[in-house]
Amino acid sequence: MNTIQIDILNPKAAKLLKDLADLNLIAIRKSPKNDFAAVLKKLRGKDALVPSLEEITKEVELVRAKRYAK
């Protein structure tokens, strides 16, 4: 079985694909809407030490101060 991803630009194409699926010529599967968000959630779930907003702000301010001091 070959798998391809298709971006449907015209609603008529969606109807054609549904008809093909009804004839058991193709299978249509819904994919997760946001794969990137799922990967982020998985990665963040493994991290025991999540920085607070204040820690992130301090780090950003330090980097900006170093950048603009040059």
Side-chain angles (χ1 to χ4, degrees):
M1 174 174 25
N2 294 328
T3 302
I4 60 172
Q5 180 178 345
I6 299 172
D7 295 324
I8 299 174
L9 303 178
N10 187 321
K12 291 179 183 178
K15 170 77 169 94
L16 290 172
L17 290 172
K18 185 175 179 332
D19 291 343
L20 291 173
D22 290 343
L23 294 170
N24 291 322
L25 296 174
I26 64 170
I28 299 175
R29 290 183 285 123
K30 301 272 184 188
S31 63
K33 292 208 179 225
N34 196 343
D35 293 330
F36 182 68
V39 170
L40 280 180
K41 185 175 183 178
K42 182 179 175 183
L43 290 174
R44 289 178 178 162
K46 293 181 180 179
D47 193 7
L49 300 173
V50 178
S52 68
L53 182 59
E54 292 81 22
E55 292 171 324
I56 295 171
T57 302
K58 286 179 187 177
E59 185 67 26
V60 169
E61 288 173 357
L62 285 172
V63 170
R64 286 180 180 165
K66 288 179 185 177
R67 179 183 297 164
Y68 296 121
K70 293 180 180 180

